[in-house]
Amino acid sequence: MTSEEPGTTSGTRRRPAWVVGSIAAAVLLVGGGTAYWASAAQGDGGTARRTGDSASAPRDAGDPSGPGIAPGEPDPSGAGVVYRADVKLPEAPASAPAYSVSGEVAEADVARLAAALGISGAPRLEGDVWLAGEAADGSGPRLTVARTAPGTWNFNRFQAGGDGAGNGAGDDCVRGKDTCGPATLPRDAGGTGGSGKPVSEEAAGAAAAPVLKALGQDGAKLDARLTQGAVRVVSADPVVGGLPTQGWSTKVSVGADGSVVGGNGELKAPVRAADQPVVGAVEALARLNARSGGGGGNPEPSGCASAVPLRADPAGGATDTVPCNPEPRPMKPPRTETVKGAVLGLAPGTVEGSRGLVPAWLFEVAGQGGAPGHTVSEPASAQQGTPGPKDGRTVPGFSYKEEDRKLTVNFWGSACSTYAVEAREQAESVMVKITDTPNKPGQACIMLAEEKSLSVTLKEPLGDRKVLDATTGKPLPKQ
């Protein structure tokens, strides 16, 4: 619902030039995850300013050319998927590592990515988002990176701001006017126009290589089959700790002229966390089939539902209501897909209370009807849950002090629990987690808060690194 000031017309709102450019890019870059800019852009061209929220906005995870049902998900109409392996699946190792992503993104990391994207000038921090590029009039390329882990980044090389005569580019709007005619998408905006043919998969991979190298993902597995108009989208699945990943991909969109016109991904590199026991591929496949094997349909109940009557039944009980069919709706049989192999890798999950990568079996599934194959992942943890404290409880700290590598964290606790602190060191920060273990689980305890302190010895002096609380994800003030 919208409202207008009195005295204004109800015609089409004027479109700022950066909106027009974003629309042009979004039309072609939906496969790269930047289409939400076009749908979110509103407002007057004279004062409009995009916030940094776009850095953490949801990214498109789908493939427009693929089926409407995601691999591994049940068909809402009732049909499920059963995966059958036609090869011997591998056994499980004793354990496999998880990877956590925490801390803050450093300016140097943003600058390195910006340089690879052809953006000059130093990045600037606006709230919780790093911003690089973009002139005062909203023109030029724009890179946004979330300040906190995992450092979600988005890049868009959109249409220039104005034509030098005070008018917007790409439409017939006149500056200072509230309405204008229909927008016209630019025909050539650095390779984002609708004309031309997509570059080859090899050329797209070569154009994306400097970006992937800046991200530390030059060894990633590439898939450049997807095209959107004249744009080819390179999807890169990085290798972390020697393990392949699924669902942690970087997308780089390459225009018809061979330039990078869009992209998104995660900038913060995952750090190895604790190892955890894992199950073999056979058990993981059974779990996958339990979730997607056609048992989750929604057949109609055998009884017949009716609305609450608004008036009493007529005398004699005779009605003109057509009797319902008491038989349940038959379920569709699940479709069968063939697993051609499996490898132990990593997939997104929760590690130490925050987003990270957990061990997972990556199943190679054959395509059907000439379609290309795809990969389906299933978590491999033997615990069937997220590792953490025994009862899953942590408490936040409120301050810290450090002396000669001894880090002391202050927090509020209870006499009814035993507490422990652990620290995970990174180059720019130290993440501290305080676990709360009740002395007598299940028994009532007076909730009287007491100020408590716990200490841990760091491997290196704290220096200028920030101390982050694992429960809140926020920096702790120094005592």
Side-chain angles (χ1 to χ4, degrees):
M1 180 176 180
T2 60
S3 61
E4 298 184 2
E5 295 293 334
T8 62
T9 62
S10 58
T12 307
R13 298 284 297 174
R14 82 170 277 110
R15 301 173 180 84
W18 62 264
V19 174
V20 177
S22 296
I23 294 173
V27 168
L28 296 175
L29 299 180
V30 61
T34 55
Y36 62 87
W37 281 356
S39 64
Q42 300 183 39
D44 191 290
T47 59
R49 180 70 176 174
R50 287 158 293 171
T51 68
D53 294 343
S54 60
S56 58
R59 303 196 340 253
D60 182 13
D63 182 345
S65 63
I69 304 169
E73 293 300 320
D75 188 334
S77 64
V81 183
V82 174
Y83 296 97
R84 302 295 186 194
D86 65 355
V87 295
K88 182 179 179 180
L89 297 178
E91 300 290 334
S95 63
Y99 287 80
S100 62
V101 186
S102 59
E104 297 186 356
V105 175
E107 179 181 355
D109 295 332
V110 181
R112 183 174 62 253
L113 177 59
L117 292 167
I119 299 177
S120 59
R124 53 198 184 275
L125 188 61
E126 296 188 359
D128 287 333
V129 176
W130 287 103
L131 176 63
E134 187 179 56
D137 63 351
S139 64
R142 182 176 192 258
L143 169 67
T144 57
V145 183
R147 180 176 60 88
T148 57
T152 301
W153 64 272
N154 284 278
F155 170 70
N156 191 19
R157 193 183 304 279
F158 46 81
Q159 170 71 2
D163 60 2
N167 296 332
D171 58 25
D172 58 0
C173 303
V174 179
R175 296 294 185 191
K177 298 294 185 180
D178 190 65
T179 60
C180 61
T184 303
L185 298 180
R187 293 184 177 276
D188 186 8
T192 64
S195 59
K197 295 182 178 180
V199 298
S200 66
E201 294 185 25
E202 293 75 14
V211 179
L212 298 176
K213 184 176 181 179
L215 295 166
Q217 299 178 5
D218 34 349
K221 175 185 175 182
L222 304 185
D223 184 347
R225 292 173 295 178
L226 176 64
T227 59
Q228 292 290 315
V231 173
R232 186 175 294 277
V233 180
V234 180
S235 180
D237 292 315
V239 176
V240 177
L243 296 174
T245 62
Q246 174 75 10
W248 197 265
S249 61
T250 295
K251 296 192 187 311
V252 179
S253 300
V254 181
D257 61 353
S259 64
V260 175
V261 297
N264 60 67
E266 320 294 354
L267 182 54
K268 193 73 174 175
V271 177
R272 182 165 179 158
D275 287 14
Q276 53 186 263
V278 294
V279 300
V282 173
E283 183 173 343
L285 186 63
R287 291 181 184 177
L288 178 62
N289 281 326
R291 291 194 298 107
S292 62
N298 298 309
E300 293 179 353
S302 57
C304 300
S306 61
V308 177
L310 299 179
R311 60 184 178 181
D313 291 337
T319 66
D320 295 331
T321 304
V322 178
C324 68
N325 179 11
E327 297 298 326
R329 181 176 56 198
M331 295 288 293
K332 291 182 180 179
R335 68 181 188 274
T336 300
E337 298 194 2
T338 304
V339 174
K340 308 295 291 184
V343 62
L344 186 62
L346 298 166
T350 302
V351 181
E352 298 177 348
S354 59
R355 188 181 178 197
L357 292 167
V358 298
W361 285 103
L362 310 183
F363 296 102
E364 180 187 351
V365 181
Q368 293 185 329
H374 58 273
T375 302
V376 178
S377 65
E378 178 66 19
S381 174
Q383 301 173 353
Q384 282 278 42
T386 302
K390 292 182 180 179
D391 60 354
R393 293 171 58 178
T394 63
V395 295
F398 62 80
S399 67
Y400 77 93
K401 64 179 180 180
E402 187 261 349
E403 183 178 0
D404 192 24
R405 297 194 296 117
K406 181 181 179 182
L407 179 64
T408 301
V409 183
N410 305 312
F411 62 98
W412 295 104
S414 165
C416 304
S417 295
T418 299
Y419 299 92
V421 64
E422 61 179 282
R424 185 167 300 281
E425 299 184 50
Q426 295 184 348
E428 300 87 15
S429 63
V430 175
M431 177 75 74
V432 292
K433 180 174 67 173
I434 305 168
T435 57
D436 174 359
T437 304
N439 296 330
K440 296 181 179 180
Q443 292 190 11
C445 176
I446 182 172
M447 298 302 293
L448 180 62
E450 299 178 354
E451 184 174 337
K452 294 180 176 290
S453 299
L454 288 173
S455 298
V456 62
T457 301
L458 302 177
K459 297 178 182 178
E460 301 290 341
L462 181 62
D464 59 357
R465 292 183 292 177
K466 293 184 178 181
V467 177
L468 303 177
D469 182 82
T471 302
T472 64
K474 298 180 179 180
L476 293 178
K478 190 172 184 179
Q479 181 178 340

